[in-house]
Amino acid sequence: MLVLEKNAITEEIEESIKLHGNNRSALIPILQDIQRKHSHISDFAQQEVARLLDIHPVEVYSVVSFYAFLNTKPKGRNIVRLCQTITCDLQGKAAIAKAIERELNCKFGETTQDKKFSLEFANCLGMCDQGPAMIVNDKVYSHLTPEKAVQILSNIK
Amino acid sequence: MHKKEELRAPVSQKPHVVEKPENIDTIGGTVTLELNEKKVTVPLGTTILDACKENNIHIPTLCHHEDLCVAGVCRLCVVEVEGMRTLQASCAYPITSPIKVHTSTPMVRQARKHIIDLLISEHYGECYSCFRNNNCELQSLAKEYGVDHYNFGHIEKPRYEVDKSSYSVIRDMDKCVLCKRCVRTCIDLQEVGVLEAVGRGDQTRISTFLDKPLADVVCINCGQCINRCPTGALRANDPRDEIWEAIDDPKKHVIIQTAPSPRAAIGEEFGQEPGLSYTKEMTTALRRIGFDKVFDTNFTADLTIMEEGTELILRLYKALVEKDNSVKVPQFTSCSPGWVKYLEHFYPEYIDNLSSAKSPQQMFGALIKTYYAEKNGINPEDIVSVALMPCSAKKFECNRPEMHDSGFKDVDYGLTTRELAQMIKEAGIFLPEMPKSNFDNPFGEASGAGLIFGATGGVMEAAIRTVYELITGKNVEDFFENMNVTPVRGFEGVKYAELPITEVGPVPDILKPLVPNWDWVKGATLKVAVVHGTANAKKVMEDIKAGGKFSECHFIEFMACPGGCLGGGGQPIPTNKEIRAKRAQAIYNEDESLTLRKSHMNENVLRLYEEFLPEGPCSHKSHKLLHTHYTERGKYIA
């Protein structure tokens, strides 16, 4: 990583700390800020957060590895999370997964070659009465059909 | 913004200590509860577990350790509290009201049994191929609860690779039961922060930053995690096979040096009470195993005092009289390899404060393959030098690339107390019944000052005994009763002492080339501090950084392990405050029983200077063999 990039990340974290404070409990909001901006939390960013909050890097890594919405490796610009829990499964999640995989030529758990989409399964989204459901970035889509799912993804830049 | 000290470790992460009220009758001072239908009165806030302990009710525990904070993760200590819907973990339940507790109901017994069955179902491996066989807390719990078959199955294949990257600590996560004792040791007790729980659910494992091998992270090799692991998931890197091979090779001249702490603890491995020294029995046992020579590391501890003490005098002279800004004060001790690596990682800017003198182990290594080999006409290539240490970090230290000053690897293997006990057992020897014998010449017996290196404050006390006498020309007994420098003894995390130097004598011959006179120290006050455990070291280092009271010290002793070497990562398991105090007592008792108790009075050390290092301490040759340099490591991991 270039020194300039490193300095930029440090500055961003310092900005986040001004907003959220430097208590241990500010860890998750700070990590979310980084995740939002860079779509991942790099090794260096984790160590910088640890230094600025005066905790150990492994504690930051422990938190990052615990939460499914935080990740250490770069992902696509848009993250598609399809609910895999039982009600959505019964309502036809498999067909939707297959349609999306065919459309994007990319398997679940992977990122498309143009880095536009990352596909993931998620556990219950709380939309059991309106399944199957998925989240694209921060937006929830319910009552999916294979055609509707493909349509939604094609509208995303 | 929060203050710095508020950031780290909230109260919940510190050990749970309930201070008993001075007057037990104070209103609100105590609480009366019913323990298995028996009325019991305890101080308010006592945990159910402690209350049971005081009343001789046994409760099984696994994640609980008295050196560490409450975790309540294993749930083995559950009890029934009347009025509560679920079972309660007794280690994490402070009593604040007159509750009724039942410790042995069908529900409690079944819950505990299920927990043990579940732990075993994911615990890979067989007991007979485990180094913790017969000293494993999971094994003894299984025995206690009569586990005779795998109720919930048993894992057939290993899930993880064993991490053997480190010279000191080996991690076998297949044996881990996720009690998080190592995590609490590493983060809260030692403040090094290498291990944490990573992942989630059934994927949870104890791991390092980015799952790196242990050799690539900031691990200081102190081995405190090994001492507190209830199973065989953490162990020291064991060189027994190589040592046996060397012993069985008639061409090899195998030498062992024994540090002061193992002798005060090795009896525990043979079922003896803590606090008994087996020095002379151990030397016999070592000879019977087949070591050609048995030397006492206390000899080089005495030598360390000569070198490090002289270095201190020189540093102070240069800094205070010659006003040389390149000389850094306070001087830090460098005997503890865990502490040295801690400083290299976390405070690399203070490397110049570290004494350049090697640790006693490495000094001995360099001397054995030069002085001893020359004197006895042995080819240093044929010498295999083993060091018996209470320490896992010593294994790393002897593998440092700079430790080749004799032209060979100065110390070939570091052996821990536990591993030596194993070797003694393998040789069919019962240590406590061995006849007594002395250490071998030419290094012979050493002083009590070298012996007390094993306890926290020992290096400082030994240094004070010598420096005081060299400066004042009087006996140290005139200043400290019975030579016991009590201000630097004891188990407080950080000790601070001011020692006024009221009178000075003539400069002794051995120091004449280095300082002209003692006038500059007359009337001065020597400020010293003693620190053990790297969490305490961190506090002191932060204070020095901020220019606080410790930055004005002249000499600071740092030991990486709580209690000093006697609580080291290679010592017998288990460890707790009581055991450490007993080991310290054993060391101090042995010191008092010796006639020679000052390093500079050790005839063998003086002879070594005459014969081998004629220019005296801190001279050119001694710098080549007995001093070293350090590496700035930093804490960033690429």
Side-chain angles (χ1 to χ4, degrees):
Chain A
M1 202 182 266
L2 293 169
V3 178
L4 275 177
E5 278 180 72
K6 282 187 177 178
N7 289 344
I9 287 179
T10 308
E11 263 173 41
E12 278 168 35
I13 298 170
E14 277 165 356
E15 281 301 309
S16 286
I17 284 177
K18 269 185 203 153
L19 207 64
H20 305 295
N22 63 351
N23 198 290
R24 287 161 66 89
S25 56
L27 178 59
I28 289 183
I30 293 169
L31 291 177
Q32 282 172 326
D33 282 354
I34 305 170
Q35 171 79 32
R36 214 169 290 132
K37 187 136 194 219
H38 299 274
S39 85
H40 79 292
I41 302 163
S42 67
D43 307 352
F44 176 76
Q46 291 178 46
Q47 298 186 60
E48 274 305 273
V49 172
R51 179 177 71 82
L52 292 165
L53 296 190
D54 197 21
I55 57 179
H56 301 290
V58 71
E59 290 178 277
V60 179
Y61 180 56
S62 174
V63 170
V64 172
S65 68
F66 184 86
Y67 290 104
F69 278 45
L70 302 175
N71 44 276
T72 55
K73 293 277 173 307
K75 286 196 175 172
R77 293 195 300 283
N78 304 293
I79 299 176
V80 179
R81 295 186 172 93
L82 180 63
C83 178
Q84 63 172 0
T85 312
I86 190 156
T87 26
C88 287
D89 196 68
L90 289 171
Q91 293 179 84
K93 158 221 116 186
I96 291 158
K98 210 171 259 175
I100 294 176
E101 283 183 346
R102 204 180 305 129
E103 171 72 13
L104 298 178
N105 191 20
C106 166
K107 294 246 177 303
F108 268 81
E110 292 172 4
T111 302
T112 53
Q113 283 209 326
D114 58 0
K115 304 267 183 254
K116 191 173 172 189
F117 288 105
S118 284
L119 303 184
E120 280 173 14
F121 284 120
N123 288 321
C124 188
L125 302 179
M127 310 295 282
C128 304
D129 56 330
Q130 301 172 40
M134 70 173 178
I135 302 184
V136 181
N137 299 330
D138 285 338
K139 207 165 173 199
V140 186
Y141 298 90
S142 57
H143 293 300
L144 292 176
T145 59
E147 299 76 37
K148 197 174 160 190
V150 168
Q151 184 62 40
I152 290 166
L153 293 185
S154 66
N155 287 339
I156 285 170
K157 277 175 216 148
Chain B
M1 288 286 144
H2 293 260
K3 271 194 250 150
K4 196 121 198 174
E5 55 266 28
E6 287 168 10
L7 289 175
R8 193 48 238 155
V11 188
S12 61
Q13 294 202 358
K14 293 291 171 207
H16 181 86
V17 182
V18 179
E19 278 180 22
K20 291 194 178 174
E22 272 174 35
N23 183 4
I24 205 91
D25 303 323
T26 325
I27 295 171
T30 59
V31 59
T32 303
L33 70 154
E34 262 183 48
L35 261 183
N36 294 345
E37 265 98 64
K38 191 182 138 199
K39 280 218 188 294
V40 172
T41 305
V42 293
L44 198 74
T46 313
T47 59
I48 298 181
L49 183 67
D50 289 338
C52 288
K53 232 179 241 169
E54 267 176 38
N55 291 284
N56 294 324
I57 296 170
H58 173 70
I59 291 190
T61 54
L62 187 67
C63 69
H64 181 80
H65 194 286
E66 62 177 83
D67 288 339
L68 307 171
C69 69
V70 169
V73 292
C74 76
R75 316 307 288 182
L76 259 174
C77 63
V78 285
V79 292
E80 230 180 283
V81 178
E82 268 183 35
M84 288 278 186
R85 192 175 56 85
T86 54
L87 295 176
Q88 299 296 310
S90 62
C91 70
Y93 192 114
I95 305 162
T96 51
S97 55
I99 47 172
K100 290 178 182 166
V101 178
H102 303 280
T103 63
S104 175
T105 62
M107 189 156 59
V108 168
R109 283 196 303 274
Q110 195 186 26
R112 288 179 187 166
K113 208 164 173 186
H114 277 174
I115 290 165
I116 296 169
D117 283 340
L118 283 166
L119 287 173
I120 291 173
S121 74
E122 298 220 328
H123 181 76
Y124 172 77
E126 301 292 344
C127 288
Y128 47 74
S129 62
C130 178
F131 94 107
R132 288 293 293 273
N133 195 357
N134 259 342
N135 185 17
C136 168
E137 292 178 40
L138 185 64
Q139 192 187 32
S140 40
L141 282 169
K143 193 177 170 199
E144 200 176 308
Y145 280 81
V147 173
D148 52 4
H149 66 289
Y150 298 129
N151 244 340
F152 299 115
H154 186 56
I155 189 163
E156 299 285 331
K157 279 190 188 141
R159 292 199 292 169
Y160 304 103
E161 212 174 302
V162 179
D163 178 1
K164 293 183 179 171
S165 63
S166 164
Y167 285 118
S168 299
V169 184
I170 292 179
R171 293 171 64 239
D172 181 359
M173 283 303 102
D174 280 314
K175 296 218 164 75
C176 178
V177 292
L178 296 175
C179 68
K180 292 183 88 180
R181 274 196 202 168
C182 54
V183 172
R184 285 174 283 152
T185 305
C186 202
I187 292 184
D188 300 333
L189 187 73
Q190 289 291 70
E191 292 242 11
V192 178
V194 166
L195 301 171
E196 210 356 325
V198 168
R200 171 179 202 160
D202 64 347
Q203 300 297 312
T204 311
R205 64 209 178 272
I206 306 297
S207 191
T208 54
F209 184 59
L210 306 175
D211 299 300
K212 296 254 181 203
L214 209 51
D216 295 351
V217 292
V218 293
C219 176
I220 62 165
N221 303 313
C222 66
Q224 290 301 307
C225 50
I226 303 177
N227 282 356
R228 287 174 182 78
C229 181
T231 69
L234 291 158
R235 62 175 194 267
N237 204 340
D238 192 341
R240 268 181 304 142
D241 293 345
E242 288 91 335
I243 293 172
W244 279 122
E245 206 175 297
I247 287 174
D248 296 337
D249 185 344
K251 270 188 269 165
K252 296 282 182 203
H253 188 73
V254 190
I255 294 172
I256 188 162
Q257 51 162 314
T258 68
S261 292
R263 60 192 72 167
I266 194 164
E268 293 163 38
E269 289 279 342
F270 292 88
Q272 308 297 305
E273 279 291 298
L276 297 172
S277 269
Y278 287 97
T279 316
K280 299 200 163 179
E281 289 84 350
M282 194 175 70
T283 49
T284 317
L286 287 168
R287 281 195 194 93
R288 291 209 183 164
I289 286 177
F291 287 101
D292 296 302
K293 288 283 181 220
V294 182
F295 294 142
D296 193 351
T297 310
N298 297 358
F299 170 81
T300 36
D302 285 339
L303 194 60
T304 303
I305 288 300
M306 295 303 290
E307 291 291 332
E308 208 165 313
T310 311
E311 191 189 341
L312 175 67
I313 290 168
L314 273 178
R315 249 181 221 250
L316 294 180
Y317 184 71
K318 279 184 191 157
L320 304 178
V321 181
E322 294 178 353
K323 306 279 179 212
D324 183 348
N325 284 333
S326 66
V327 177
K328 297 280 188 289
V329 174
Q331 175 174 311
F332 302 155
T333 61
S334 61
C335 305
S336 167
W339 150 247
V340 169
K341 196 158 184 258
Y342 182 82
L343 188 90
E344 287 175 338
H345 277 305
F346 294 94
Y347 298 96
E349 64 273 27
Y350 285 92
I351 266 185
D352 291 336
N353 291 61
L354 266 184
S355 161
S356 67
K358 282 182 187 174
S359 69
Q361 162 180 292
Q362 291 308 128
M363 281 198 184
F364 223 139
L367 285 180
I368 285 172
K369 292 195 177 178
T370 54
Y371 174 68
Y372 172 79
E374 262 170 46
K375 206 171 165 149
N376 291 274
I378 302 168
N379 184 356
E381 253 177 66
D382 294 332
I383 294 179
V384 176
S385 170
V386 181
L388 169 64
M389 294 287 146
C391 183
S392 52
K394 290 281 179 192
K395 292 170 191 283
F396 170 82
E397 189 186 27
C398 76
N399 281 302
R400 276 174 179 257
E402 60 268 27
M403 295 297 182
H404 282 74
D405 289 333
S406 61
F408 303 89
K409 193 177 168 193
D410 290 342
V411 173
D412 292 286
Y413 304 109
L415 188 70
T416 63
T417 315
R418 293 189 298 267
E419 290 150 9
L420 177 72
Q422 190 61 45
M423 285 180 82
I424 294 176
K425 284 177 194 161
E426 278 174 56
I429 296 168
F430 184 64
L431 181 79
E433 287 174 2
M434 280 285 105
K436 298 183 177 191
S437 65
N438 288 329
F439 287 101
D440 283 314
N441 283 322
F443 303 112
E445 303 300 308
S447 76
L451 182 74
I452 54 172
F453 264 53
T456 167
V459 180
M460 188 56 73
E461 181 165 348
I464 287 170
R465 285 183 194 172
T466 290
V467 169
Y468 249 64
E469 293 210 352
L470 291 181
I471 291 179
T472 60
K474 283 192 165 180
N475 287 334
V476 72
E477 294 92 313
D478 301 344
F479 304 96
F480 298 100
E481 198 186 327
N482 200 16
M483 259 184 265
N484 295 339
V485 189
T486 40
V488 297
R489 287 192 184 182
F491 280 112
E492 301 97 282
V494 181
K495 285 162 281 185
Y496 176 82
E498 292 189 1
L499 307 163
I501 297 171
T502 44
E503 49 192 309
V504 292
V507 178
D509 290 342
I510 201 162
L511 295 177
K512 272 204 175 126
L514 303 171
V515 279
N517 56 51
W518 289 132
D519 292 344
W520 54 283
V521 279
K522 195 169 182 186
T525 303
L526 188 64
K527 292 176 187 164
V528 297
V530 174
V531 186
H532 63 120
T534 42
N536 295 317
K538 186 179 176 183
K539 278 183 213 150
V540 170
M541 290 307 296
E542 290 296 335
D543 182 85
I544 291 176
K545 243 183 173 173
K549 149 173 128 174
F550 292 102
S551 65
E552 287 167 18
C553 275
H554 300 115
F555 191 33
I556 307 183
E557 174 198 316
F558 287 96
M559 289 291 159
C561 295
C565 302
L566 54 89
Q571 291 283 65
I573 303 167
T575 180
N576 59 40
K577 280 197 187 90
E578 202 184 323
I579 292 176
R580 290 197 291 271
K582 282 183 180 168
R583 289 176 190 162
Q585 204 48 53
I587 287 176
Y588 284 126
N589 288 348
E590 203 176 330
D591 167 47
E592 290 216 24
S593 73
L594 295 173
T595 40
L596 173 63
R597 293 177 65 195
K598 297 167 201 162
S599 300
H600 61 289
M601 305 289 246
N602 186 336
E603 299 284 333
N604 297 320
V605 169
L606 299 177
R607 201 178 60 234
L608 176 84
Y609 275 115
E610 250 168 57
E611 288 179 7
F612 195 62
L613 305 163
E615 290 161 60
C618 288
S619 63
H620 180 71
K621 192 170 180 188
S622 97
H623 258 285
K624 187 178 174 297
L625 281 178
L626 306 180
H627 290 252
T628 185
H629 56 91
Y630 306 100
T631 320
E632 285 188 23
R633 293 175 200 272
K635 57 182 176 179
Y636 276 83
I637 298 164

